[in-house]
Each structure stands twice: as structure tokens, then as C-alpha cells.
Amino acid sequence: MKARVFVTLKNGVLDPQGKAIGHALNGLGFGEVGEVRQGKVIDLELAETSAEAARSRIKEMCEKLLANTVIEKYEIDLRN
Amino acid sequence: MKARVFVTLKNGVLDPQGKAIGHALNGLGFGEVGEVRQGKVIDLELAETSAEAARSRIKEMCEKLLANTVIEKYEIDLRN
């Protein structure tokens, strides 16, 4: 089973990297771009076959390693 | 309109960061984890309202700034 995990900064947490991208895009002539936020995407391949079990294991991975839950939130997207 | 852009390394391009995450997960007791790839996710807010126009503008942004198309590929996911 494959899974995609998104790790992004929580709303309200300053995102200087996103701001820099936004400024650069505006400067390049993309004036229609408003707020930009940048995060990480992690693609995992799992031996697990049950979606429910996989989700709970990935949640554990996020809490333990993938996300800093003080400032980051995560979303899990399962594909098989 | 909101859009999410994924920028990930092309298949076949070595991903040491993904490998490091995989090793760390295995070491933490997540033995079911196989290959791991890491990429970037960029959330954009656009003044554009037409999905087709937005997609073509974002494609241009990816080619010009967001992705290094020599080694990276990108996917565009529009939400309104």
C-alpha cells in the first residue's frame, strides 16, 4: 500500500519560506498570487494491506518522527 | 482559488532525505515501511477564478521557479 503524508505549518505559525516564494512569484510577474505556504510531502510504501491499520501506524509515525506537532499539522492520504 | 502544488524528485533520482526518513522509521520499529521519497508541497492562493487559466499559470510558475525540472516533477491540484 502507498501513502502520501503532508506536513504543513499550523495556521498562525509564521512561514518565511512560503513568504519568500510568494515574493519571488510576484516579482516574476505572477501578481495574482496571494498567500503561499510551504510544507513537506512524504511518500511511503508500506507492507500493510489494511487501510485502517495503515492509517493508525502512519499516525504514529507522524507523531513520533515526521511532524513536529507543536507547530506542524499532518494529513494522511492512502492509495493502494 | 486555492491550489496545491507537489514538487517531487523524478523517479530514478537519488533521494537521500527520503532514505534517511526510511531508515529512521525502520529504526523506530516501523519495519513495514519500504521506500520513502520526500518532496515539497506549496499551497497557493490565487486571484484567478477560471480553473483552466489558473492551471496554465501555475504550470508556468512551476517551470520558472517552483520546480527544477531537470530532476523534479510537479503535480497541480486545484481547489476552489
Side-chain angles (χ1 to χ4, degrees):
Chain A
M1 172 170 286
K2 290 189 176 195
R4 180 162 262 190
V5 179
F6 307 105
V7 179
T8 49
L9 288 167
K10 284 182 180 171
N11 296 335
V13 177
L14 220 66
D15 178 6
Q17 204 169 356
K19 277 241 175 328
I21 295 172
H23 279 299
L25 286 172
N26 290 156
L28 281 171
F30 298 103
E32 75 266 42
V33 175
E35 220 204 331
V36 180
R37 307 277 290 173
Q38 211 229 284
K40 282 175 287 189
V41 57
I42 298 158
D43 287 316
L44 300 167
E45 220 154 297
L46 293 175
E48 196 67 66
T49 51
S50 138
E52 209 169 313
R55 189 174 290 277
S56 101
R57 287 290 279 174
I58 295 171
K59 219 177 142 180
E60 223 181 300
M61 294 176 205
C62 289
E63 299 282 342
K64 278 199 182 159
L65 179 79
L66 302 178
N68 173 356
T69 52
V70 177
I71 54 167
E72 291 173 328
K73 59 183 168 27
Y74 56 86
E75 288 166 61
I76 298 166
D77 185 8
L78 291 176
R79 299 116 188 256
N80 40 336
Chain B
M1 171 171 284
K2 289 189 178 194
R4 179 162 262 192
V5 179
F6 307 105
V7 179
T8 49
L9 288 167
K10 283 182 180 171
N11 296 335
V13 177
L14 220 66
D15 179 4
Q17 205 170 353
K19 278 243 174 328
I21 295 171
H23 279 297
L25 286 173
N26 289 157
L28 281 171
F30 298 104
E32 74 268 45
V33 176
E35 221 204 330
V36 179
R37 307 278 288 174
Q38 211 229 282
K40 282 176 286 189
V41 58
I42 298 157
D43 288 316
L44 300 167
E45 220 155 296
L46 293 175
E48 197 66 67
T49 51
S50 137
E52 209 168 312
R55 189 175 290 275
S56 100
R57 287 290 278 174
I58 295 171
K59 219 177 142 182
E60 223 180 300
M61 294 177 205
C62 289
E63 300 282 343
K64 278 198 183 158
L65 180 80
L66 302 179
N68 173 358
T69 53
V70 178
I71 53 167
E72 291 173 329
K73 58 181 165 34
Y74 56 85
E75 288 165 62
I76 299 166
D77 185 9
L78 292 176
R79 299 119 188 254
N80 40 335

